[in-house]
Amino acid sequence: MKVLVTGAAGFIGKALTKRLLEHGVSVYAVDLPQFQDNILKDDGVYFLNTDLADSERLAADLAEIHADIFYHLAWKGVSTDVKNDVQTQLSNIPLCLNVLSACKSAGCPRVIIPGSASEFAYSGEAVSGKSLYAPGDAYAASKAATQVICRWYAEQYDIDLIWLLIGSIYGPGRNDNNILTYTIKALLRGEKTAYSKLEQMWDYIYIDDLTEAMFLAGNRGKKREVYPVGSGIAKPLSVYIKKIHGMLAPDAPLGIGLLPYKFGSKPDNSILDISNLTSDTGFSPKITFEEGISRTIEYFKGLK
């Protein structure tokens, strides 16, 4: 089997590449020039110098390699500081449509695009992919808009698109300003922490479980399905933070409740219903939060 992975140098892309290799899949990796050195170097990984902005060139490259699945992970503007930059977020939509157009022209049988559980952050119910969109920022709103237009396009041109609503991911190698990373790094440095009340119900999925779910969705998922992807376990966000606190610095002050919620008194939630993913593909998360966060803490200790 041959697959193409865009965003292959990123946290998810690199981990997915590794997982695909473990399953005997050949990976054609795509990323921006400034990130190409971070693409996994291994037998079975082939760098593809294509252009996502040029659907005809992309289609020609796809036809040449005869890819079976296209994992389109590339997305501009994933960091918190640009999640409300509307123009940056909207610039992703034509690239996604180019991917679908190229796959149609080249005869690539299946396309996997990761959306986000945050498309439904304020829906007030578990994320199933069937409720009304309720995003909390331009990033989530653009993901939702991309889902709508890409699923319409796939229906019009009979393209097998699977959309994944991915929850919060963690694990060694993710080193940005998400709340788990912030907590680990602050406590390791002996710094004071500050949070909202952390009453949000949250689902965290370890990177290895995520990539296995992505592999299974690509190989066993139903045509044009929408799958929430998480651990299937939701707890108040404070529970996860207190777990890290207990592992790293149980005597340090923990500033829960010092900050307001983003939108006043209304917290967002991330509760994922993964029942369809499990029944269709056999996916079952293997890594508990305790085990996964222990590995993640050791990773950050090694960076000191």
Side-chain angles (χ1 to χ4, degrees):
M1 177 182 287
K2 299 176 182 178
V3 307
L4 191 150
V5 178
T6 68
F11 174 58
I12 300 175
K14 202 167 184 176
L16 177 62
T17 299
K18 180 180 178 183
R19 178 54 56 106
L20 292 169
L21 292 176
E22 292 170 353
H23 284 288
V25 177
S26 296
V27 178
Y28 289 80
V30 176
D31 215 314
L32 295 171
Q34 62 266 38
F35 302 127
Q36 289 168 7
D37 287 345
N38 293 326
I39 291 174
L40 190 66
K41 310 295 190 299
D42 208 330
D43 292 339
V45 180
Y46 308 93
F47 173 66
L48 184 64
N49 185 25
T50 192
D51 186 356
L52 298 182
D54 185 340
S55 62
E56 291 186 3
R57 176 181 169 184
L58 181 58
D61 290 335
L62 268 177
E64 185 174 342
I65 66 175
H66 301 289
D68 299 291
I69 304 175
F70 193 127
Y71 286 91
H72 180 46
L73 311 186
W75 187 273
K76 297 179 183 177
V78 296
S79 61
T80 302
D81 58 324
V82 291
K83 279 196 170 183
N84 281 313
D85 184 326
V86 175
Q87 294 306 314
T88 296
Q89 298 303 330
L90 291 178
S91 69
N92 293 285
I93 296 178
L95 297 181
C96 290
L97 290 172
N98 281 352
V99 166
L100 295 180
S101 175
C103 286
K104 176 180 179 294
S105 298
C108 181
R110 171 159 283 186
V111 186
I112 311 289
I113 300 181
S116 172
S118 64
E119 296 173 41
F120 304 92
Y122 291 93
S123 67
E125 56 189 78
V127 175
S128 64
K130 297 177 174 61
S131 56
L132 293 175
Y133 297 103
D137 53 29
Y139 164 81
S142 296
K143 283 283 189 181
T146 305
Q147 181 189 163
V148 171
I149 196 166
C150 284
R151 291 179 67 194
W152 168 81
Y153 190 97
E155 289 282 352
Q156 289 291 312
Y157 296 103
D158 195 27
I159 299 168
D160 185 3
L161 166 67
I162 292 180
W163 191 269
L164 304 179
L165 297 168
I166 297 177
S168 292
I169 314 147
Y170 72 104
R174 182 173 184 185
N175 190 4
D176 54 20
N177 53 1
N178 73 86
I179 192 170
L180 299 188
T181 298
Y182 160 74
T183 301
I184 293 169
K185 292 166 75 172
L187 292 176
L188 284 174
R189 292 193 292 251
E191 297 173 355
K192 293 181 179 180
T193 55
Y195 313 90
S196 69
K197 292 181 180 179
L198 301 182
E199 299 165 309
Q200 303 99 311
M201 296 297 293
W202 219 257
D203 183 315
Y204 277 106
I205 184 167
Y206 188 68
I207 184 63
D208 291 358
D209 282 335
L210 171 68
T211 55
E212 182 65 10
M214 295 176 76
F215 169 77
L216 290 172
N219 283 268
R220 302 180 188 173
K222 290 183 178 179
K223 185 175 181 178
R224 287 203 286 271
E225 189 58 83
V226 177
Y227 290 116
V229 183
S231 69
I233 298 171
K235 299 177 181 179
L237 198 48
S238 60
V239 170
Y240 301 105
I241 301 306
K242 288 176 180 177
K243 179 71 68 175
I244 297 171
H245 178 250
M247 290 178 170
L248 277 179
D251 295 328
L254 197 57
I256 294 177
L258 296 181
L259 301 177
Y261 288 118
K262 284 190 297 183
F263 296 102
S265 61
K266 186 179 181 183
D268 51 345
N269 290 287
S270 181
I271 305 170
L272 283 85
D273 178 357
I274 65 170
S275 56
N276 283 345
L277 179 66
T278 297
S279 62
D280 289 352
T281 70
F283 171 67
S284 178
K286 300 293 190 298
I287 308 299
T288 64
F289 183 77
E290 289 76 14
E291 180 180 354
I293 205 63
S294 294
R295 296 179 188 179
T296 306
I297 288 170
E298 290 306 310
Y299 163 77
F300 281 104
K301 285 180 176 179
L303 296 181
K304 293 181 65 177

